[in-house]
Amino acid sequence: MEIEIKGASENNLKNIDVKFTDGLTVVTGISGSGKSSLIFNTLYHESNRRLIELFGYSRKWSSQRSSYKLSPAKVASITGLGPAVAVGQNLINRNPSSTLATASGLHPLLRLLYARFGVRKCPNCGADIIVLTQDEILNYLFGIVKEKPRVVYSQLVNNSLGSHKTLLKLLLEQFSLGDLFIDDKKWDGLQLNPNKQHKIFIKLAQIDSSTSFDDVRDIVLKSHLLGSNILQINTGKRVEKVSTVKSCVECGTWLKDIEPKYFHMVCPFCKRKGCKQCNNTGIHPFASSVFFSGLLITQLLTYSVKEALKLFEDTKILASTNRLLSEIIKRLTALKDVGLGYLTLNRSSPTLSRGESQRVRIALTLINQLEDVLHILDEPTIGQHVTNIIKFLPIFHKMPGPVIFVEHDRIAASVADNAIDLGPGAGSSGGSIIFQGSLSELWETDT
Ligand SMILES: [Zn+2]
Ligand SMILES: [Zn+2]
């Protein structure tokens, strides 16, 4: 994509010709030299105006909203211009409830993750409850077995009264005595006390990294055919139970679905101060007993971008969480790439420095990278240390279309592909092109 401007004369521009190619172009010049006239009042303005014309908004809206009709920029011609996205510097979010997580679009993804894949605590007995589909269990088992061998049991009876004579008789037709576990011990074959509660488990298989996917599938299927909704997975001392139904694996209490919105709602009892109902989390009680990697959503939000990224990269991935996790990781990576790895996810947006909030917006631009779109960034390096700038600028080379920085000084130009310098002065003594070309050429003219 090459954009060519001819005869630009908006404001103080002196009928200048400019070319923009793919890669990073830095436009520099002192305040009032004509940078904004060229980039915002000509290039960006024309891109918007043409887009509006193209989609017919101007005709449709012109009767009610005259502002939808833009007047053309003062320019002889612009060729090769497509849609443009501008990232301004004076759009700092002053909404007090806005945080890094909400501003970067992470929060809705985390809510979904917690609502759908969080581990819930039973409100009745406090047991951990992981509800998964059969496919998810299958993928989960096949994933974890690569690390350590596991013993898989099917839970048939959990703390229920009776001798369970008929069930045990049927089970003995299919399984050997040694595979039947009653009340956490191998069954001795003796009749159970009918006046007591019992647990009945069947050892389905011992699986390890050599177990094939088909064999794992057979195990999950076998448990299902036995009428069990709960699998118990043992690794040494660790016991984990996964269920295909929304009920407690220990006491059978049925659980309601938790909608993602509850992870964004303030506790109605204490209004964020903390109370018994919300386990002192201040968030809605429904969301206050849901964990991911052992963390409540409020705890996860105290993590820095870097810490959260590590957590999610190390997370055992269920096939169905893949998309969600990769979206989360994409956002965290972009924030880290622009040098914001140290910020916590719950950092309030209005407390970010000018440079930090500018970088949040740059990260958003990177996340929502659009193909072949002209990206215009107004002073993206403002308030940042030179070493930081050098670190994060190379990521703009990865963007598919042309990227234009409008900058006061030339530091950013040091990693750019092309530079345009406007001047020589401000106002009527500006508006001319002092330099246009590749970087090496710029340094040559300087010396
Ligand atoms: Zn329970
Ligand atoms: Zn509360």
Side-chain angles (χ1 to χ4, degrees):
M1 189 152 118
E2 186 178 274
I3 302 161
E4 192 168 9
I5 300 180
K6 281 196 168 152
S9 46
E10 192 69 45
N11 298 326
N12 66 342
L13 296 178
K14 306 273 170 16
N15 196 26
I16 57 176
D17 300 343
V18 190
K19 248 186 221 176
F20 297 97
T21 51
D22 279 350
L24 178 59
T25 301
V26 174
V27 180
T28 53
I30 60 164
S31 183
S33 61
K35 300 186 302 279
S36 298
S37 298
L38 178 66
I39 303 305
F40 293 103
N41 301 345
T42 306
L43 195 62
Y44 185 57
H45 176 90
E46 269 304 294
S47 165
N48 280 338
R49 191 184 68 80
R50 291 174 184 196
L51 212 62
I52 287 167
E53 301 254 301
L54 186 67
F55 292 107
Y57 288 130
S58 61
R59 251 166 290 136
K60 194 176 163 193
W61 294 98
S62 55
S63 54
Q64 301 109 305
R65 299 199 197 180
S66 55
S67 62
Y68 269 85
K69 182 114 184 152
L70 300 172
S71 50
K74 283 184 195 154
V75 63
S77 73
I78 302 184
T79 52
L81 182 60
V85 172
V87 182
Q89 50 152 304
N90 41 15
L91 307 154
I92 295 171
N93 193 340
R94 291 285 167 210
N95 179 351
S97 66
S98 166
T99 63
L100 183 63
T102 57
S104 61
L106 270 168
H107 208 281
L109 298 171
L110 295 177
R111 295 204 289 271
L112 208 59
L113 183 77
Y114 269 80
R116 180 67 188 81
F117 301 103
V119 175
R120 295 167 70 175
K121 288 241 181 271
C122 171
N124 184 41
C125 72
D128 286 346
I129 303 161
I130 311 173
V131 181
L132 300 172
T133 66
Q134 265 194 18
D135 273 352
E136 284 164 2
I137 290 179
L138 181 55
N139 285 309
Y140 180 62
L141 270 180
F142 193 64
I144 57 172
V145 88
K146 295 272 165 273
E147 305 162 357
K148 268 185 212 155
R150 305 289 213 273
V151 187
V152 184
Y153 301 84
S154 187
Q155 174 176 307
L156 294 171
V157 171
N158 202 33
N159 299 324
S160 110
L161 209 66
S163 66
H164 306 286
K165 226 199 282 180
T166 319
L167 174 69
L168 289 170
K169 192 167 163 263
L170 283 170
L171 288 173
L172 275 178
E173 288 169 11
Q174 281 187 59
F175 297 89
S176 66
L177 188 64
D179 289 335
L180 282 168
F181 286 75
I182 313 277
D183 302 334
D184 300 323
K185 276 178 285 201
K186 264 190 190 172
W187 187 31
D188 50 16
L190 299 175
Q191 204 195 339
L192 309 187
N193 183 342
N195 303 315
K196 271 187 147 183
Q197 291 188 335
H198 298 285
K199 295 180 185 179
I200 302 177
F201 283 76
I202 285 177
K203 183 178 163 187
L204 292 175
Q206 169 130 24
I207 53 176
D208 55 38
S209 55
S210 68
T211 312
S212 74
F213 191 76
D214 283 346
D215 286 344
V216 177
R217 195 206 319 267
D218 285 346
I219 292 162
V220 175
L221 201 64
K222 204 189 229 172
S223 176
H224 176 70
L225 291 173
L226 285 167
S228 167
N229 299 311
I230 297 162
L231 278 181
Q232 179 174 306
I233 305 152
N234 290 30
T235 327
K237 280 182 203 151
R238 227 177 90 83
V239 174
E240 189 175 21
K241 288 185 183 183
V242 289
S243 174
T244 52
V245 292
K246 289 190 191 70
S247 70
C248 176
V249 291
E250 297 301 337
C251 70
T253 299
W254 280 87
L255 304 169
K256 282 190 200 137
D257 274 330
I258 295 186
E259 289 173 54
K261 67 175 182 196
Y262 291 114
F263 294 90
H264 204 34
M265 282 165 69
V266 173
C267 171
F269 302 104
C270 65
K271 304 268 181 262
R272 212 179 253 134
K273 283 189 204 80
C275 67
K276 211 180 148 200
Q277 280 94 333
C278 65
N279 297 322
N280 283 316
T281 58
I283 54 172
H284 198 284
F286 285 175
S288 68
S289 58
V290 185
F291 296 80
F292 188 84
S293 281
L295 300 166
L296 289 167
I297 192 164
T298 45
Q299 293 170 321
L300 176 66
L301 290 170
T302 65
Y303 272 40
S304 71
V305 168
K306 259 191 210 158
E307 289 165 337
L309 188 59
K310 179 151 191 341
L311 175 91
F312 285 114
E313 282 174 344
D314 293 347
T315 294
K316 289 288 146 297
I317 292 179
L318 289 170
S320 45
T321 57
N322 261 340
R323 271 269 341 261
L324 197 52
L325 279 181
S326 71
E327 282 296 318
I328 290 170
I329 288 172
K330 193 166 93 182
R331 279 169 170 74
L332 290 169
T333 305
L335 288 169
K336 197 183 124 218
D337 281 351
V338 296
L340 296 177
Y342 61 92
L343 289 180
T344 59
L345 302 180
N346 63 2
R347 175 68 180 267
S348 144
S349 297
T351 68
L352 294 173
S353 74
R354 215 172 147 202
E356 284 168 340
S357 40
Q358 174 73 326
R359 274 180 283 165
V360 171
R361 278 188 301 278
I362 293 170
L364 282 175
T365 315
L366 291 170
I367 293 160
N368 302 315
Q369 225 176 77
L370 302 163
E371 291 290 313
D372 275 334
V373 163
L374 165 67
H375 284 93
I376 300 171
L377 292 100
D378 194 11
E379 298 203 38
T381 62
I382 200 156
Q384 292 184 58
H385 196 265
V386 183
T387 51
N388 244 335
I389 297 171
I390 305 296
K391 235 189 280 169
F392 89 76
L393 284 191
I395 52 181
F396 288 97
H397 291 292
K398 291 187 213 151
M399 298 185 79
V403 180
I404 298 175
F405 281 12
V406 181
E407 286 284 351
H408 265 294
D409 57 50
R410 285 182 176 179
I411 296 168
S414 62
V415 289
D417 302 305
N418 291 292
I420 293 168
D421 200 21
L422 289 167
S428 59
S429 59
S432 297
I433 291 195
I434 306 299
F435 173 84
Q436 173 168 205
S438 74
L439 210 63
S440 50
E441 292 169 306
L442 176 66
W443 301 137
E444 275 161 31
T445 59
D446 258 9
T447 49

